[in-house]
Amino acid sequence: ILNMKKEKSFKAKLKYNYKKKKNFTRFLKCKLSSTRNGNLIVEILKGQESYKINPFTKSNAWGVFKNGKSIFKKGCKIECHSLSGFNEFLIN
């Protein structure tokens, strides 16, 4: 409707372990950063409830935790979508 180009997801390494119920997908507010050598790191912010505004104001990415898996270990790569314009470099 807005004639916007489709954004691409990207992968980032998870900063801490995360556990969820296995049979559903979660979209979590996250803080995306990079290491000195350019690796992307994603940190899940505390306070994921929809009524909490503070984590949303601190987030710059969504982390996608798909169904079929319940434990995500530190260092594993997670699908992410940027809220801060990082995806402008990834759009076709």
Side-chain angles (χ1 to χ4, degrees), residues 5 10 13 15-16 22 27 30 34 37 41-42 51-52 57-58 60 63 65 67 70-71 74 79 84 87:
K5 294 180 180 179
F10 56 92
K13 289 184 178 180
K15 189 169 185 176
Y16 302 110
K22 187 176 182 177
F27 297 88
C30 296
S34 64
N37 59 358
I41 303 293
V42 64
Y51 64 89
K52 292 192 175 179
T57 64
K58 293 181 179 180
N60 61 2
F65 296 81
N67 67 348
S70 62
I71 298 173
K74 174 184 175 178
E79 178 184 341
S84 63
N87 281 35

Side-chain angles (χ1 to χ4, degrees), residues 32-59:
L32 183 68
S33 60
S34 64
T35 62
R36 289 183 179 171
N37 59 358
N39 291 324
L40 294 175
I41 303 293
V42 64
E43 176 183 358
I44 300 167
L45 298 173
K46 293 181 181 179
Q48 292 292 321
E49 296 84 356
S50 60
Y51 64 89
K52 292 192 175 179
I53 301 299
N54 193 38
F56 187 74
T57 64
K58 293 181 179 180
S59 67

